[in-house]
Amino acid sequence: MKSWNEMKELQPLVGQMLMNSFKKDRISHAYLFQGDRGTGKREMSLLFAKSIFCRNRQGADPCQECRDCHRIDSGNHPDLHWIEPDGQSIKKDQILHLQKEFTYTGMESNRKVYIVVDAGQMTVNASNRLLKFLEEPSQQTTAMLLTENGQSIIDTIRSRCQLLAFQPLNVRRIENKLEHEGISASNAKLLASLTNNLDEALEMNADEWFANVRKLVIQLVEVLQNKPQEGLLFVNDQWMPHFKERKQLQRGLDVLMLWYQDLINDFLDREDAIVFTQEKEKREQSSMHWTRQSAAKCLSYILEAKRKINQNVHPNLVMEQLTLQLQR
């Protein structure tokens, strides 16, 4: 996103509020961007940082051509600091390092900006250190905390930030954009159900690894329906070798969830909500195996499996347990 008008199309209220910050010269010392994955939080924070540092700004819009704008794009701006989870969490030492960096004068100006990605994953100690940092704000410092769940941020930090709620994007709008890029209607529907981020959707579509995810999900469902005694064998021999990383396994479980959501939508005659539009015959076979109630239970089992993956439970154990649950 290169301009605030573009961001306003994506997030009208948040975009307008941040634009007004520049027009009125009232930039807060700390913001909390909260909203679902893919709703534009990272893009908004980048554009906001550019508007702060750009020396050729036109109104609120950065020029996108100067040295500062280019270095922010490349991740090399000396006065913009990113903090992202180290493994499963953001640790105290990361915040301590940030504090140390901020004791130094800005490399090229007195302004400094830091962006904390997945701020809800801060450890208790990291949260307490950040709180102390926020309690003594410098007028030349701006913080942006990004999270999918605002309630995961401790109240004392929330109270020191300007809260900006990012709204879910219109799925149909994403589908239309993907189809405009030449993606088939069925793939556009699947991709738009998995992410609100257009660039991420295009990357997934071009990824051969992702193309096989859809096939594996349908194969797993067919094994569970027709040869349940081979479920564990399929998971260990075909499913797990494809989903080698936790992030990949989460993606596979997301697609599996969509299959069971389709079953429930089928039972409720919500044809427009069906994602696997080309697999009608297979879906009809599944609806003879699972009732609406059992499909809903399967969704809860998958959500629990996703939670365990985030908690560092061994992926093979999680998938084996899930397979046994889905067979019932």
Side-chain angles (χ1 to χ4, degrees):
M1 297 290 174
K2 297 193 177 293
S3 72
W4 284 102
N5 282 334
E6 286 183 82
M7 285 307 307
K8 281 173 63 180
E9 285 184 24
L10 192 69
Q11 291 289 343
L13 184 59
V14 172
Q16 186 62 56
M17 289 175 68
L18 291 178
M19 273 185 69
N20 290 343
S21 297
F22 286 102
K23 289 180 179 178
K24 298 176 182 178
D25 196 24
R26 292 180 182 173
I27 298 175
S28 297
H29 75 278
Y31 296 88
L32 177 59
F33 293 178
Q34 58 184 40
D36 292 340
R37 182 170 173 272
T39 48
K41 300 186 297 297
R42 194 177 188 111
E43 292 87 345
M44 191 79 80
S45 66
L46 275 172
L47 185 62
F48 196 55
K50 285 182 182 179
S51 293
I52 288 174
F53 287 113
C54 180
R55 301 177 192 187
N56 302 320
R57 199 176 73 217
Q58 298 293 320
D61 283 329
C63 70
Q64 301 290 352
E65 298 295 333
C66 69
R67 189 166 175 242
D68 285 308
C69 287
H70 284 311
R71 286 192 300 178
I72 289 173
D73 280 331
S74 64
N76 292 317
H77 197 288
D79 295 323
L80 172 62
H81 301 267
W82 289 84
I83 297 179
E84 303 198 43
D86 178 10
Q88 297 295 312
S89 62
I90 295 172
K91 299 174 175 62
K92 176 183 174 181
D93 287 346
Q94 293 176 268
I95 304 299
L96 287 172
H97 178 72
L98 177 73
Q99 287 179 291
K100 183 179 179 181
E101 287 290 325
F102 274 59
T103 61
Y104 305 131
T105 304
M107 294 288 288
E108 296 175 14
S109 72
N110 289 325
R111 289 217 63 99
K112 281 182 175 283
V113 173
Y114 63 98
I115 300 170
V116 183
V117 181
D118 292 332
Q121 294 185 31
M122 283 188 289
T123 63
V124 174
N125 286 335
S127 294
N128 290 333
R129 293 303 308 185
L130 183 65
L131 176 60
K132 290 183 180 179
F133 201 26
L134 291 172
E135 284 175 338
E136 300 175 357
S138 161
Q139 289 186 345
Q140 299 297 309
T141 297
T142 303
M144 285 172 268
L145 313 184
L146 281 51
T147 182
E148 293 181 25
N149 178 14
Q151 298 306 312
S152 62
I153 308 295
I154 61 174
D155 289 341
T156 44
I157 287 181
R158 285 170 56 86
S159 66
R160 286 164 174 77
C161 298
Q162 181 176 339
L163 304 181
L164 296 173
F166 284 62
Q167 300 303 311
L169 302 189
N170 185 299
V171 174
R172 187 58 199 159
R173 180 171 173 266
I174 299 295
E175 283 180 44
N176 289 337
K177 284 195 170 187
L178 290 171
E179 289 180 37
H180 183 71
E181 294 285 339
I183 295 174
S184 68
S186 61
N187 280 347
K189 193 143 195 164
L190 174 62
L191 293 165
S193 299
L194 292 170
T195 178
N196 288 319
N197 187 308
L198 184 62
D199 290 336
E200 184 182 20
L202 291 171
E203 285 177 13
M204 283 195 287
N205 184 68
D207 189 351
E208 186 179 345
W209 177 89
F210 180 75
N212 288 320
V213 172
R214 184 178 190 138
K215 297 175 186 175
L216 280 168
V217 164
I218 294 170
Q219 287 172 1
L220 175 59
V221 169
E222 289 179 330
V223 168
L224 293 172
Q225 284 174 201
N226 306 319
K227 298 178 181 179
Q229 70 279 6
E230 296 181 12
L232 291 177
L233 183 65
F234 178 85
V235 164
N236 284 299
D237 287 357
Q238 297 189 54
W239 181 276
M240 293 309 298
H242 191 68
F243 301 100
K244 295 176 182 177
E245 300 174 9
R246 289 177 184 271
K247 185 177 180 181
Q248 293 177 335
L249 182 53
Q250 290 283 16
R251 180 65 77 199
L253 292 175
D254 287 338
V255 178
L256 185 60
M257 283 185 68
L258 291 175
W259 180 268
Y260 285 100
Q261 286 174 359
D262 274 3
L263 286 186
I264 294 172
N265 286 325
D266 218 3
F267 282 119
L268 297 174
D269 294 322
R270 296 174 180 164
E271 190 67 29
D272 290 345
I274 300 294
V275 173
F276 287 88
T277 54
Q278 292 187 323
E279 289 82 8
K280 184 176 181 180
E281 185 177 334
K282 287 182 169 60
R283 196 170 63 250
E284 288 174 349
Q285 292 171 0
S286 288
S287 64
M288 295 175 66
H289 184 83
W290 285 284
T291 64
R292 192 179 97 187
Q293 290 75 17
S294 62
K297 274 189 178 181
C298 290
L299 281 176
S300 68
Y301 293 144
I302 298 169
L303 282 170
E304 177 65 13
K306 286 176 63 63
R307 185 183 66 79
K308 288 178 179 177
I309 293 296
N310 278 337
Q311 292 179 338
N312 250 2
V313 180
H314 196 285
N316 286 76
L317 293 177
V318 173
M319 277 307 303
E320 287 175 3
Q321 182 182 28
L322 177 61
T323 302
L324 294 173
Q325 290 172 324
L326 298 178
Q327 287 174 353
R328 294 173 188 169

